[in-house]
Amino acid sequence: MKQDATAAKQNSTKSYSWLIYLVAWLVIILIQSILVGQSSTMAESLFQAPSHYLSTWLLDIFLIAIFYLNYYYVAGHMMRRRHFGGYIAFVVIVAVVALFMPILCKALFGWRTPTQDLPFVTVSWSGAIGAVTVITIGLAVRALLEWLKLNKLTAEQREELIKLRNEVTSHKMQAKSDTTKPTTVATPTTAELPSQEPKPIAPAQPD
């Protein structure tokens, strides 16, 4: 019963954590969209033309997905197996996709960017830099957590080794004290000796 309650509490905490992450990402995307609309005279406001920001939002979603994919799977999987070449190739592919994301959105969906109208959509260097950045952050956080986990495991193993060593030393000392302990033989007292009745002496036989 107690274990079920603990598991339910952990699941509830994870659900709240994912909800907080989702809200945080949405707030970041909203702030980015507002800043883009205010930083360029060529861009219309988010509230005036939200359809101009569809390609930007798709790029943001792509980068968020890459962050979690790298954090939960790619970084740990490839680093443990020392697939450094494969990991570099993963980074390059993601950066290239992010670089050409506006052109892909134009070709597939006809979407423009907030600052560029069709047919003058170009590559997104900020998207490529963002892709490399999120991968680097995910790798750094994953490496830090793996390092902390390894240190914790090492400390637990060291404590277990010290405990076993102390137990072995205690057993050796106990065995040594048992072998050097003098043995005393109990001498039975008169009262403990079995009582024997005197045997009658037979009379001598005449010759």
Side-chain angles (χ1 to χ4, degrees):
M1 181 69 68
K2 187 176 180 180
Q3 293 180 352
D4 295 339
T6 304
K9 186 177 181 180
Q10 291 178 351
N11 293 332
S12 177
T13 303
K14 290 181 179 179
S15 300
Y16 284 123
S17 299
W18 281 106
L19 181 61
I20 293 173
Y21 294 151
L22 178 60
V23 173
W25 284 119
L26 291 177
V27 170
I28 292 173
I29 293 174
L30 179 61
I31 293 174
Q32 177 204 23
S33 302
I34 294 175
L35 293 177
V36 168
Q38 294 179 350
S39 62
S40 176
T41 57
M42 299 176 59
E44 295 188 23
S45 171
L46 168 66
F47 304 102
Q48 294 176 349
S51 61
H52 294 180
Y53 293 82
L54 293 177
S55 61
T56 303
W57 294 340
L58 183 61
L59 177 60
D60 293 337
I61 294 173
F62 173 74
L63 295 180
I64 294 171
I66 290 299
F67 173 81
Y68 284 108
L69 177 65
N70 177 62
Y71 177 78
Y72 284 106
Y73 180 73
V74 178
H77 179 78
M78 289 192 172
M79 292 298 105
R80 291 192 193 99
R81 291 162 177 77
R82 299 183 179 275
H83 295 167
F84 301 115
Y87 192 73
I88 294 174
F90 167 75
V91 175
V92 172
I93 292 173
V94 170
V96 170
V97 173
L99 179 67
F100 290 97
M101 182 66 73
I103 298 177
L104 293 175
C105 290
K106 171 196 168 184
L108 297 177
F109 310 109
W111 294 346
R112 55 165 291 171
T113 64
T115 58
Q116 296 173 336
D117 198 358
L118 300 177
F120 304 105
V121 175
T122 58
V123 296
S124 174
W125 291 105
S126 60
I129 296 173
V132 176
T133 302
V134 297
I135 291 176
T136 303
I137 294 174
L139 177 62
V141 175
R142 188 69 182 183
L144 178 61
L145 293 179
E146 292 290 336
W147 180 73
L148 293 175
K149 188 185 299 184
L150 180 61
N151 281 350
K152 182 180 179 181
L153 181 61
T154 303
E156 291 176 353
Q157 290 178 346
R158 187 182 297 112
E159 292 178 359
E160 186 69 21
L161 181 61
I162 293 174
K163 183 179 178 181
L164 291 175
R165 188 178 298 169
N166 292 336
E167 291 180 356
V168 170
T169 304
S170 176
H171 288 314
K172 286 184 177 179
M173 293 179 63
Q174 183 67 29
K176 185 176 181 180
S177 63
D178 291 341
T179 55
T180 57
K181 186 177 181 181
T183 57
T184 57
V185 179
T187 304
T189 61
T190 307
E192 294 174 348
L193 293 174
S195 59
Q196 297 181 356
E197 297 181 357
K199 295 181 180 180
I201 301 175
Q205 298 294 330
D207 295 335

